[in-house]
Amino acid sequence: MAKIKNIKIKESMGDRILNLFIGFILVLVTLIVGYPLLYVISCSFSSSSALEVGSVILWPVDFTLRAYDFVLAYKQVWVGFRNSVMYVVLDVAWSMTTTILMAYPLSRAYLQGRKFYTMFFYMTTRFGAGLIPLFILK
């Protein structure tokens, strides 16, 4: 195998300006998305009196875990968590099983009707699950 030499590509001024602009946009989007997330996390660790006064801006004020104690003591949270884990495990097992059982036969060139089945499964990926209810509502 031939070695590829390190080739340095010189960027033009337009490329540099475009890269700076793209970097600025990415930082701006990160801040727009990141601040609300950080704010919610800060509120979850702040005391209720600090939230009522509105003193929480970026970092937690009067750090406490009382909100987590309250939420985790509620029985329905654990039922929902158990259901979520159960659905994930069962769905992954079901998806893996059906994918393996369909992918192997479809990879064989001698399977009769292979093109039909391939298009049938491919077309189901092109339409979202909410397409029919959305169509009925409009």
Side-chain angles (χ1 to χ4, degrees):
M1 183 185 318
K3 287 187 175 182
I4 299 174
K5 296 180 181 179
N6 291 340
I7 300 173
K8 292 188 178 183
I9 299 173
K10 189 173 183 179
E11 290 183 339
S12 68
M13 184 59 83
D15 289 339
R16 290 180 187 169
I17 291 172
L18 182 64
N19 285 338
L20 283 173
F21 179 72
I22 291 172
F24 173 75
I25 295 296
L26 289 175
V27 167
L28 186 66
V29 168
T30 301
L31 290 174
I32 289 171
V33 171
Y35 175 72
L37 182 64
L38 183 61
Y39 179 74
V40 168
I41 292 170
S42 296
C43 286
S44 73
F45 287 115
S46 297
S47 67
S48 59
S49 60
L51 290 173
E52 290 173 2
V53 173
S55 60
V56 178
I57 296 174
L58 189 61
W59 303 110
V61 177
D62 298 332
F63 185 85
T64 182
L65 295 174
R66 188 164 179 233
Y68 289 95
D69 289 338
F70 180 75
V71 169
L72 294 177
Y74 189 57
K75 182 183 174 191
Q76 294 300 323
V77 169
W78 293 104
V79 171
F81 183 71
R82 184 197 70 213
N83 288 344
S84 296
V85 170
M86 182 180 67
Y87 289 140
V88 166
V89 168
L90 292 175
D91 190 42
V92 167
W94 174 255
S95 296
M96 290 296 294
T97 302
T98 55
T99 300
I100 290 169
L101 289 175
M102 287 308 302
Y104 180 75
L106 288 176
S107 69
R108 303 293 120 192
Y110 53 83
L111 176 69
Q112 290 182 353
R114 188 181 108 194
K115 287 185 181 182
F116 169 76
Y117 290 116
T118 301
M119 284 306 294
F120 178 77
F121 289 116
Y122 174 71
M123 291 309 288
T124 60
T125 65
R126 303 305 331 153
F127 299 104
L131 185 65
I132 294 173
L134 182 66
F135 178 75
I136 292 172
L137 289 175
K138 287 192 176 190

